[in-house]
Amino acid sequence: MTEETIKLVVYVHAGFGGLALLGGLVALIAKKGSKIHKKAGKFFYYTMLSSALVALIISLLPKHENPFLFAIGIFSSYFVLTGYRSLRFKKEVPSLIVDKIIAWIMIVTGIAMVAYPIILKGSINIILTVFGILGLIFAIQDLIGFKNPEKLKASWLQAHLGKMTGGYISAVTAFVVVNNLIPGIYGWFTPGVIGGVYIVYWSRKVKKR
């Protein structure tokens, strides 16, 4: 693959990411459950997942191998996939085989994100460590939740809001870091802190209902 083609693939990745930012923002602002929210959410799901998948491809291209980008791509895909798939739990609990596979992929990736820098360089990568631990926590919670279908069915909305917002946080983080809007390591974590407050707010609101 030529460098020009690789540049084109990078542009495609960035394009999908930009569209995901817009779609996700509309979904967050719109009234939950409204037609606008549903359409914007679906648009965000497909564009964000496409951006993450293209990132995985880029990270595997010859002379462009990037384990860091690959791990972040898996991390982002996990939240978007599980957030969207949690909608199925609203009416019933279907086969969870695919969901378990997704959770285990995140667990393996999370362990690698923490251990890889230590094994390879003998040092901790704070960004990969934090994201890896977060991925591990959520994926393990998924596997525990799959053992209780009734509880899974009752908490579908919390799972959907939390995971989809997590996916949007990934999109915002990428935008902030690439454009250096917030310098240094703070750019990696500031969107997550703000987004985490948003998730906690909506989780409590849903519980009250």
Side-chain angles (χ1 to χ4, degrees), residues 38-154:
K38 292 178 180 178
K39 289 183 178 180
K42 187 173 290 188
F43 180 79
F44 166 73
Y45 168 75
Y46 285 112
T47 53
M48 183 61 189
L49 187 59
S50 297
S51 180
L53 292 177
V54 174
L56 292 177
I57 294 173
I58 294 172
S59 70
L60 296 173
L61 292 175
K63 297 182 180 180
H64 291 269
E65 295 89 348
N66 191 327
F68 183 94
L69 180 60
F70 184 84
I72 296 299
I74 293 291
F75 181 82
S76 302
S77 300
Y78 162 76
F79 279 96
V80 177
L81 279 169
T82 54
Y84 191 76
R85 290 180 66 83
S86 63
L87 289 171
R88 302 174 308 138
F89 305 148
K90 182 177 181 180
K91 296 181 180 180
E92 61 180 346
V93 179
S95 173
L96 297 171
I97 295 176
V98 174
D99 302 271
K100 290 178 180 179
I101 291 174
I102 293 173
W104 275 109
I105 290 175
M106 183 65 253
I107 288 174
V108 172
T109 303
I111 294 173
M113 289 169 78
V114 176
Y116 182 77
I118 298 175
I119 296 172
L120 192 67
K121 299 180 179 179
S123 61
I124 295 175
N125 184 307
I126 187 64
I127 296 171
L128 286 178
T129 298
V130 172
F131 287 176
I133 291 175
L134 280 174
L136 280 169
I137 291 172
F138 278 98
I140 291 172
Q141 285 181 337
D142 286 345
L143 292 177
I144 293 173
F146 294 156
K147 295 180 180 181
N148 190 335
E150 289 303 316
K151 187 176 181 180
L152 191 65
K153 186 176 178 180

Side-chain angles (χ1 to χ4, degrees), residues 23 26-27 30-43:
V26 173
K31 183 180 179 180
K32 302 298 180 285
S34 65
K35 288 184 178 180
I36 295 177
H37 172 78
K38 292 178 180 178
K39 289 183 178 180
K42 187 173 290 188
F43 180 79

Side-chain angles (χ1 to χ4, degrees), residues 188-204:
W188 285 96
F189 298 127
T190 301
V193 172
I194 297 173
V197 172
Y198 179 87
I199 292 173
V200 170
Y201 167 77
W202 273 104
S203 294
R204 290 180 176 180

Side-chain angles (χ1 to χ4, degrees), residues 150-162:
E150 289 303 316
K151 187 176 181 180
L152 191 65
K153 186 176 178 180
S155 60
W156 72 270
L157 183 55
Q158 285 175 278
H160 173 67
L161 289 172

